[in-house]
Amino acid sequence: MTSPFPGRREARPAHPEGRGSAVRRTPWVWTRLVATPSATLLAAVLAFVAVLPATALPRALDRGADQALRDSLHAGGPARTSLYATAESRPDAPSPKDLDEQLAALVARTGPSFRLAASGPVHGAIGDKPRTLANPELAVLDEQPPQANLLFLPRAAEHARLVEGRWPGGGAGDGPIPVALSKSAADTLKAKVGTVLKPLDGLSLPVTAEVVGLYTAQDPAGAYWTDLACATKACMPAKACATKPCAPPSAGWLVSALVGPDALEKIAPWGHGSRDFWRLPVDTDRLRVDTLPRVTDEVSALVAGPTASGLALETGRPDLRITSEILRLFGEARAEQQAAAPLAAIGPAGLGGVALVVFLLAAGLTGDRRRDELLLLRARGGSRAGILRRLLAEGSVTVLPAAVIAAAAALVLLPTPRLAPALLAAGAVTLVALLAFPVRAFVLLSAPRGPAPRRRLVAEFLVVAATVAAVAEVRRRGVAPAGAGLDPLLVAAPLLIALSGGLVLARIQPLAVGALAWAGARRAGVVGFIGLARAARGSGGRTARPSVLPLIALLLAVTTGGFGAAVLTGVDESRLRVARSEAGGDVQVAAPPGETVPKEFARAAGALPGVRTSLGVRVDAEAHVFDTDRGSVPATVIVAEPAAYAELARTAGRGGFDPAVLAGADGGAPVPALFSKDLSGSVSDRAYRVRLGNGADLQVRQAAVVDGTPARPGAASATIVLPAGPVAARIPHAADPTHWFAVGRADPDRVRELIRENAPASADRFLVNTSTEVAARLDSGPLQHAAGRLFLASLAGAAGFALLAVLLGLVRASPERGALLARLRTMGLRPRQGIALVLTESLPQVLAAALGGFLTAAAAVAVLGSSVDLSALVGVDVPAGLRLTVPPVLVPALGMAALAALAVLVEAAVSGRRQIITELRAGDQR
């Protein structure tokens, strides 16, 4: 037998044999769980599927943000993620020990929030200026003699391999300074072991350098040799070397020769002074977004703060300067993540809203099923506090283990050091799952209150007012300003629009369905009328109206899905526009200077699958326009076939025009031309002389004004577009194409293959640029991928919870519906008619939710679209704004309606017959 009801004490009955032994008691919680295994399992499963995404989503966000940060830092390379410290070399006998001590002081001041990379610091000394060499046997570049600088790297032998001679040592006397050159630099300069490098200009002391060894870097592209490229090979002019330019423009070959520790003091006389340098590479693999503010503060203190001042005093070098580009990279990464945060949070917010509705529905279903039991416990003397304590204990046995397992699974499957957000989210969802039914029970056990339509009306008015205020504020100020992070208004506004739409639809639906029921009453058959009448008045147990919770769950899911789909579609469209603008269409092939595109290639490429329009274009960047208001103006002349060029301009989104304006150039009349905006203000309707790059002159007149040309993306020079036919007729070869453009999805590899087939001699010098490759580069960032995956996962979760809400609504109405079907069965209702009645009763809400979700999603995009900035997800700055298109918003609505209708059909087919049989056997007790 079960234990006494909560709050009551019962006298212990005497033992039959007269001994006063206690009656064995069965735990009340265990009895309840065993008595309702299906409800127990449902509560555990619901808690598991709710806590799992709640724990996983923050960790997925952290992982995506951390990976995006690291990738952006890796793209800059070690040169941009290192701390550079420089100071003038000590005039009084500099030594390697002094450099090592300064390095130890610098390393001691790094951290604790960041660490140095495993490649380790790089330090040494280098001359301020290179010396021009006078050796006649050395190779020259552009008739300029080579230059050499002296460089001291204490640990160079650990990162290089000696291939000839020896490492430099000695050199403290008056003889030549022993130096080592890289094998590549020596081969370029035609130097060898034993070559004495002689400066061209005079020195205060007759200093020379002798090559005593040749080496090769173990990893020339590795982190150690970053900014030391002249030490691994001969550099071209104006290459960077050890944090500063090593050679001015128009200089000859430049090499850095390694010296030994004994020759450290000889660097300054050779290099007109010398500087000590220390490069500290930051370990970017350990950086995380949550620790970025602390790292920024510590690096800022090193660059220009108290730490920098302390180091200058500690090292005795007042001119010590520390610089780094990593702070700017940190700022760019944080700005990009903060810009993407509102868009990435919309999906999880919608999922959370739908999950909350499901919990409320589950609590309402459980409350309806156990209402009589709870009232009986209360009538037999149980206190509300005692009943609630036992309900909490009952829920803890099912909810807590499932929540712990779900949270542990998410923590294991998505490892990341940051635990707090995931655990807080898991705890919040667990608390909701645990308290939903006790709160519902508390309401049931409270004193009954009469109907309060005014309270409901006031609550609905407050929701609508909050929605209007949120939308107005977002439209007024746009998204949160840069650096503000997550914008709660932009995240909450679509959900508030969906909630307001659900409340309005809940008011309209009964009236509309009631009108349909009134019309159905005039037709033969009762199935349609009964189903529509029950849908209009509500069939959820004791309710007097249809439950609004399943409707709101569907609306939230559809609105979130539609708004998110519109955002992703807008991102793809913006990325494609940017890619087409950069590529000048979908495919661009540029011939090497002085050459033209082969006709055989143009014909073959134009016939490739996916190519809709193709054309050859002549691009002359050396033309001039005469007799303008500004005199002779340099211009770029584009010669193309008008119709195909107009299609190309329309596709690229730049320079669009009506091809008919380029017609009418018969005889000797001036050729009609398109003038760019910056040039049109200097001309009028009269004819002008254009001199092409080959010296030929042509008379042209302005026919229209365009905003640029897709043939030269980003070019700021004046542009003139001419029709190919009249130009070719007047000036031979003036229309021979230097570029080939195509509109359509052509295979880039096949295009390059055709170039190799038709221009084998110069195929490597042809430039091929396609919109698909540009879009792929823009879409390669982990931030964009993480946002897309997060939205899809949130949409799938919201759809699942919305379907669960529909099923819970059907289950809640199943007792009353089963009784009705049983009565109608005794009157001759056929099984198919029973299924039709269930569908007629349930589908109006599903279809209304799909339509309402489509309208609310479209409304959210329409009213909030102007405030959405997609630049962070596109990968490049684009104009703010989200365009409303029907397909992205309609597809989630139709998909959700189809899934919900399928769920209703399956539930009606599976449970309808069983409910009828159960009711017929048990009789009607209602």
Side-chain angles (χ1 to χ4, degrees), residues 119 150 286 293 345 410 498 552 620 646 875:
S119 59
L150 299 187
R286 294 180 177 270
I552 290 178
D620 188 345

Side-chain angles (χ1 to χ4, degrees), residues 501-746:
L503 296 177
V504 172
L505 191 59
R507 291 282 187 178
I508 297 175
Q509 179 196 345
L511 300 178
V513 177
L516 292 176
W518 178 81
R522 298 177 175 273
R523 305 188 61 180
V526 296
V527 172
F529 168 72
I530 294 177
L532 292 174
R534 287 175 55 80
R537 70 173 179 83
S539 56
R542 295 174 168 82
T543 61
R545 62 174 66 91
S547 176
V548 72
L549 292 179
L551 186 66
I552 290 178
L554 288 171
L555 274 173
L556 286 174
V558 174
T559 303
T560 303
F563 190 83
V567 168
L568 294 184
T569 302
V571 168
D572 292 338
E573 292 177 350
S574 298
R575 189 177 292 134
L576 182 59
R577 284 196 298 270
V578 172
R580 282 177 165 173
S581 176
E582 182 175 334
D586 287 320
V587 184
Q588 177 186 168
V589 176
E595 298 187 26
T596 59
V597 176
K599 295 181 179 178
E600 296 80 5
F601 163 78
R603 282 195 297 266
L608 288 176
V611 175
R612 301 195 307 270
T613 302
S614 65
L615 74 158
V617 175
R618 178 83 178 190
V619 179
D620 188 345
E622 299 178 356
H624 287 75
V625 184
F626 295 92
D627 303 328
T628 67
D629 295 345
R630 293 178 289 170
S632 174
V633 178
T636 298
V637 172
I638 309 297
V639 183
E641 195 280 319
Y645 180 79
E647 173 66 15
L648 175 67
R650 186 192 62 80
T651 301
R654 188 180 188 193
F657 69 102
D658 183 2
V661 301
L662 293 183
D666 298 334
V671 177
L674 305 176
F675 280 55
S676 59
K677 290 181 178 179
D678 55 346
L679 185 59
S680 63
S682 302
V683 300
S684 59
D685 293 336
R686 63 186 179 86
Y688 292 86
R689 180 167 58 95
V690 173
R691 174 165 294 174
L692 303 180
N694 59 4
D697 288 344
L698 190 69
Q699 294 292 322
V700 302
R701 63 176 176 84
Q702 178 177 310
V705 179
V706 294
D707 60 354
T709 172
R712 301 217 36 198
S717 62
T719 304
I720 300 176
V721 180
L722 301 175
V727 173
R730 303 181 188 195
I731 304 176
H733 307 294
D736 292 347
T738 59
H739 293 65
W740 180 83
F741 294 89
V743 176
R745 298 292 183 179

Side-chain angles (χ1 to χ4, degrees), residues 896-924:
M896 186 62 65
L899 289 177
L902 181 62
V904 171
L905 178 62
V906 171
E907 197 275 342
V910 171
S911 62
R913 182 177 179 84
R914 184 176 57 190
Q915 290 173 351
I916 293 174
I917 295 174
T918 302
E919 292 291 338
L920 290 176
R921 287 179 177 177
D924 186 6

